[in-house]
């Protein structure tokens, strides 16, 4: 979809639910005694209970996060929120955190594009005045959340308030939970229009949606990084300032990549509730193809249910597809141990993180490499050169689609790889490295067209006519 004007942005991002003509505070003149009756007096009781439940969750999160802030665990906000009136009035005081974005920046956005829409929210991409791109989240006026509520209760104002509280919950969690695996909140706008409508827009750092098919074609090292990022996030969620947090809507679409790092971008379906129980039989964790029996803890809740729910979802949505395939042979037994242990929930998140960190250490340090024949004795070294970059033979999975570019611990490992490729006659190691610090080696079927490069070394297979070719 093409870029939209700022005027259209305000019509979508700030007025996406305008068709519902929603008002978050709607006093009207009563009859009889002449007293005013509020919007809540006429609201459907079922809808009111749902709003009160979301309101209570919001109050709980805010209270627990404030407790963490007072203890030094979290950043203190710039203003207090009157949670008793949160579902009747929008947040009062400064509209944004210090050095964050607010309504003023929202009104100056350009190059607005549609990114997607979910059950509750509409997501847009826009460019700030300083050129930075952000993602905008607001209540989706035509989303399934509002439509389902309207079919059930027929109350546009109450239904919009219900959806707004869900977005406010996400904003509250994003402001309080600090971890590299959680999308960063850049700011928010609470727009109180003259006609009484109040709209919420959250401004987030922009990420790229996960494309699992594309990820399956990336080198194992990149796929391992995504799984490691996920495990580190789940370890934080298991012991967050709010307690153990479960991601109830755990799907790859809830995650994005920001500069190659995996981040969860939707927290509106996060839950801190632990299932109450009286005995072990009360604790069952059900998935479409598997059911787990958990223990009932002495405090009357199912032991580590949220943690285990997250972990099994990580196994079935991420580990199964991304973790073992095309991994270094020496590491595969360790990776399958992780797969089996998380697939059976024998590992908790601490054990899983420890296992991942062990694999990472072995891979980064090169300790996974068994003693190999010394292949480099079969190569001639040309320091200060590289081979001119042209399309050459391809291997899978490669860091480049134009040739065979792989991650290696050292030149000896690169020599072993070249010897395993029938078409490989040379390889080049330069200064480029991956996120692990390992070198990138380019494997070639030729060694002609040498180019001076002080940071590179060319390794050429010895042969009888090597001198003539050089």
């Amino acid at each position: 979809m093409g870029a939209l004007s700022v005027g259209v942005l305000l019509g979508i991002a700030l007025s996406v639910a305008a068709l519902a003509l929603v008002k978050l505070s709607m006093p009207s003149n009563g009859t009889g005694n002449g007293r005013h009756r509020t919007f809540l007096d006429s609201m459907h009781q079922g809808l009111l209970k749902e709003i009160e439940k979301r309101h209570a969750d919001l109050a709980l999160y805010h209270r627990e996060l404030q407790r963490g802030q007072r203890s030094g665990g979290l950043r203190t906000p710039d203003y207090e929120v009157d949670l008793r009136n949160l579902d009747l009035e929008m947040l009062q005081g400064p509209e944004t955190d210090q050095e964050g974005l607010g309504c003023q920046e929202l009104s100056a956005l350009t190059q607005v594009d549609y990114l997607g829409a979910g059950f509750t929210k509409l997501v847009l991409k826009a460019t700030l005045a300083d050129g930075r791109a952000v993602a905008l989240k607001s209540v989706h006026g035509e989303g399934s959340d509002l439509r389902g509520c309207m079919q059930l209760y027929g109350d546009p104002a109450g239904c919009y308030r219900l959806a707004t509280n869900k977005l406010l919950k996400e904003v509250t969690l994003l402001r309080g939970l600090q971890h590299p695996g959680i999308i960063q909140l850049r700011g928010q706008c609470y727009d109180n229009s003259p006609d009484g409508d109040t709209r919420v827009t959250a401004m987030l750092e922009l990420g790229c949606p996960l494309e699992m098919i594309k990820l399956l074609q990336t080198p194992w090292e990149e796929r391992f990084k995504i799984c490691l990022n996920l495990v580190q996030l789940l370890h934080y969620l298991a012991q967050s300032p709010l307690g153990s947090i479960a991601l109830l809507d755990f799907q790859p679409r809830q995650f994005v990549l920001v500069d190659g790092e995996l981040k969860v971008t939707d927290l509106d379906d996060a839950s801190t509730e632990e299932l109450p129980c009286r005995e072990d039989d009360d604790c069952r964790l059900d998935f479409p193809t598997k059911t787990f029996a958990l223990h009932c803890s002495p405090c009357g809740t199912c032991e580590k249910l949220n943690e285990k729910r997250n972990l099994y979802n990580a196994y079935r949505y991420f580990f199964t597809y991304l973790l073992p395939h095309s991994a270094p042979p020496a590491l595969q037994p360790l990776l399958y141990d992780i797969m089996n242990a998380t697939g059976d929930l024998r590992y908790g998140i601490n054990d899983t993180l420890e296992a991942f960190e062990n694999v990472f250490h072995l891979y980064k340090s090169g300790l996974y490499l068994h003693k190999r024949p010394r292949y480099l004795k079969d190569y001639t070294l040309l320091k200060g050169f590289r081979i001119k970059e042209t399309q050459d033979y391809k291997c899978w999975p490669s860091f480049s689609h134009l040739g065979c570019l792989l991650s290696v611990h050292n030149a000896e490992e690169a020599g072993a790889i070249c010897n395993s490729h029938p078409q490989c006659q040379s390889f080049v190691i330069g200064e480029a490295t991956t996120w692990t610090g390992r070198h990138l080696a380019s494997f070639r079927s030729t060694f002609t067209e040498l180019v001076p490069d002080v940071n590179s070394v060319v390794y050429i297979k010895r042969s009888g006519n090597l001198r003539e070719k050089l």
Side-chain angles (χ1 to χ4, degrees):
M1 181 177 293
L4 305 178
S5 67
V6 176
V8 175
L9 162 69
L10 296 178
I12 296 178
L14 296 181
S15 304
V16 66
L19 292 176
L21 297 177
V22 176
K23 297 183 179 181
L24 295 184
S25 182
M26 298 177 61
S28 59
N29 291 326
T31 59
N33 59 12
R35 296 191 311 172
H36 293 291
R37 66 180 174 85
T38 64
F39 171 61
L40 291 179
D41 293 331
S42 60
M43 186 182 296
H44 190 287
Q45 287 302 306
L47 178 56
L48 178 58
K49 288 182 179 180
E50 288 196 46
I51 292 176
E52 288 176 342
K53 174 62 170 63
R54 289 191 182 177
H55 172 80
D57 289 342
L58 201 55
L60 173 64
Y61 297 145
H62 185 268
R63 184 168 56 250
E64 293 300 317
L65 291 171
Q66 287 284 54
R67 182 179 294 119
Q69 290 159 358
R70 286 193 295 270
S71 67
L74 295 170
R75 177 176 54 81
T76 301
D78 299 316
Y79 59 93
E80 296 294 327
V81 178
D82 183 359
L83 288 166
R84 292 171 300 175
N85 295 322
L86 187 57
D87 57 354
L88 294 176
E89 302 174 4
M90 294 312 298
L91 306 179
Q92 301 300 312
E95 64 197 20
T96 181
D97 295 335
Q98 187 177 3
E99 298 182 358
L101 305 175
C103 296
Q104 181 177 355
E105 286 80 10
L106 187 66
S107 64
L109 293 173
T110 59
Q111 298 179 355
V112 182
D113 294 284
Y114 172 86
L115 282 182
F119 191 71
T120 304
K121 293 165 293 188
L122 175 72
V123 185
L124 304 173
K125 173 185 175 181
T127 302
L128 298 170
D130 62 6
R132 289 182 295 163
V134 292
L136 308 176
K137 283 189 178 183
S138 56
V139 173
H140 186 16
E142 298 180 359
S144 300
D145 201 356
L146 276 177
R147 290 202 310 268
C149 180
M150 283 294 296
Q151 290 173 0
L152 187 60
Y153 300 115
D155 190 329
C159 289
Y160 186 73
R161 182 183 300 175
L162 187 67
T164 299
N165 274 358
K166 195 172 184 181
L167 179 56
L168 283 172
K169 169 189 171 182
E170 183 167 31
V171 170
T172 300
L173 292 177
L174 290 174
R175 297 173 79 193
L177 299 176
Q178 305 294 318
H179 188 270
I182 298 176
I183 203 76
Q184 184 176 352
L185 181 71
R186 300 293 192 191
Q188 57 276 323
C189 174
Y190 307 111
D191 177 51
N192 297 288
S193 62
D195 61 3
D197 293 342
T198 304
R199 310 173 190 94
V200 180
T201 302
M203 288 164 271
L204 314 171
E205 65 178 330
L206 185 66
C208 298
L210 287 184
E211 299 180 29
M212 296 302 288
I213 294 179
K214 184 177 180 180
L215 286 176
L216 290 173
Q217 302 173 39
T218 60
W220 173 82
E221 186 173 323
E222 295 301 302
R223 288 181 273 119
F224 177 77
K225 179 183 181 182
I226 289 174
C227 293
L228 176 61
N229 287 163
L230 179 57
V231 171
Q232 291 168 335
L233 169 64
L234 298 187
H235 183 264
Y236 171 79
L237 293 180
Q239 51 190 8
S240 82
L242 295 173
S244 182
I245 297 177
L247 301 177
L248 298 183
D249 189 15
F250 197 119
Q251 301 276 348
R253 64 172 178 267
Q254 307 293 353
F255 295 84
V256 296
L257 292 176
V258 179
D259 297 328
E261 301 287 334
L262 183 75
K263 299 195 178 194
V264 62
T265 186
D266 280 310
L267 291 177
D268 56 357
D269 287 310
S271 174
T272 58
E273 293 184 9
E274 295 279 9
L275 184 67
C277 59
R278 293 183 178 180
E279 54 186 20
D280 288 351
D281 289 343
D282 296 331
C283 298
R284 294 169 57 87
L285 187 55
D286 294 316
F287 293 95
T289 61
K290 206 162 189 178
T291 297
F292 297 95
L294 306 181
H295 295 295
C296 183
S297 70
C299 62
T301 59
C302 295
E303 191 172 312
K304 296 186 177 181
L305 184 140
N306 287 346
E307 172 186 325
K308 292 181 180 294
R309 183 194 302 275
N310 287 342
L311 194 53
Y312 188 77
N313 279 328
Y315 159 78
R316 68 181 181 133
Y317 286 119
F318 285 86
F319 300 167
T320 299
Y321 301 104
L322 303 180
L323 193 57
H325 310 297
S326 71
L331 294 178
Q332 288 184 7
L334 297 177
L335 296 173
Y336 280 109
D337 284 346
I338 293 175
M339 295 279 292
N340 293 332
T342 54
D344 294 334
L345 287 185
R346 289 185 286 107
Y347 276 3
I349 190 60
N350 291 336
D351 295 328
T352 304
L353 179 59
E354 182 179 350
F356 266 85
E357 289 177 340
N358 180 51
V359 172
F360 176 64
H361 171 69
L362 294 174
Y363 183 68
K364 182 178 180 179
S365 65
L367 293 176
Y368 71 96
L369 295 170
H370 299 302
K371 290 185 178 181
R372 299 170 179 265
R374 297 185 60 84
Y375 292 103
L376 291 187
K377 61 182 176 59
D378 299 326
Y379 289 82
T380 296
L381 277 64
L382 294 177
K383 295 184 178 181
F385 290 91
R386 60 178 171 83
I387 299 175
K388 185 178 179 180
E389 294 183 7
T390 56
Q391 187 168 342
D392 207 303
Y393 82 89
K394 299 179 182 180
C395 62
W396 185 87
S398 171
F399 282 86
S400 171
H401 296 297
L402 298 178
C404 186
L405 186 65
L406 302 177
S407 163
V408 297
H409 174 64
N410 54 24
E412 197 68 54
E413 183 180 12
I417 293 174
C418 187
N419 276 26
S420 68
H421 294 176
Q423 61 272 64
C424 182
Q425 294 298 314
S426 64
F427 60 90
V428 182
I429 298 180
E431 60 179 347
T433 58
T434 67
W435 66 278
T436 62
R438 289 163 57 93
H439 296 281
L440 284 174
S442 176
F443 297 88
R444 312 297 296 259
S445 61
T446 181
F447 47 85
T448 58
E449 298 187 80
L450 296 176
V451 178
D453 186 340
V454 296
N455 297 311
S456 297
V457 180
V458 179
Y459 296 80
I460 304 173
K461 278 186 179 179
R462 299 179 187 274
S463 62
N465 60 350
L466 174 61
R467 184 177 302 274
E468 290 76 7
K469 290 186 178 182
L470 291 176

